[in-house]
Amino acid sequence: MSDPTIRRAARRRTGIIAAVLPPLIAATVFVPSDPVAASPLDDVSPSSDGLPGAALFTQILSWGFWLALGVCGLAILYGAATWRGMNGNSGRGVEGKMYVAAGAIGAMVIGLAPTIVRVLFDAGQAG
């Protein structure tokens, strides 16, 4: 790089530091030391008790999980057949691998979905 280019880059970095540093120092110095008041939603716990249609919603959700897992299984079967059946056609073999991977990842995400939701809810409650 030429000397003017280096100077321009140094000025740009200095400008960024000058723009970011004062608000950062102000936020550090002027943050109140007393804890924030507790939210009224801190003790919220999800429950379907007394919710009209909760059983139907749970049943429909279970059907959705079952259907999604079936689609993932079909994708894996189709991908395996395409992967194996197209020995001479490398493009179709790669497509088969993609179907197998997509079906497996989809089934994994579906299986982990309740756990992911619960972990994120607990993390939100904690902080």
Side-chain angles (χ1 to χ4, degrees):
M1 281 196 279
S2 66
D3 196 37
T5 306
I6 294 173
R7 286 187 196 140
R8 257 186 267 133
R11 277 194 305 255
R12 198 174 314 129
R13 278 192 299 264
T14 305
I16 291 171
I17 291 171
V20 172
L21 200 55
L24 185 62
I25 292 171
T28 306
V29 171
F30 296 116
V31 171
S33 60
D34 60 330
V36 178
S39 169
L41 299 177
D42 283 345
D43 296 327
V44 173
S45 178
S47 172
S48 63
D49 294 341
L51 183 66
L56 176 63
F57 179 75
T58 303
Q59 185 64 40
I60 291 173
L61 193 61
S62 295
W63 290 339
F65 271 96
W66 179 82
L67 182 65
L69 284 173
V71 169
C72 289
L74 289 175
I76 291 172
L77 288 176
Y78 174 76
T82 305
W83 185 1
R84 177 67 184 127
M86 301 297 171
N87 283 338
N89 188 347
S90 63
R92 295 284 294 185
V94 170
E95 182 182 335
K97 292 177 189 178
M98 294 298 289
Y99 274 104
V100 170
I105 291 170
M108 183 175 60
V109 169
I110 291 167
L112 288 173
T115 304
I116 291 170
V117 170
R118 187 69 197 170
V119 165
L120 291 176
F121 178 78
D122 289 344
Q125 289 291 98

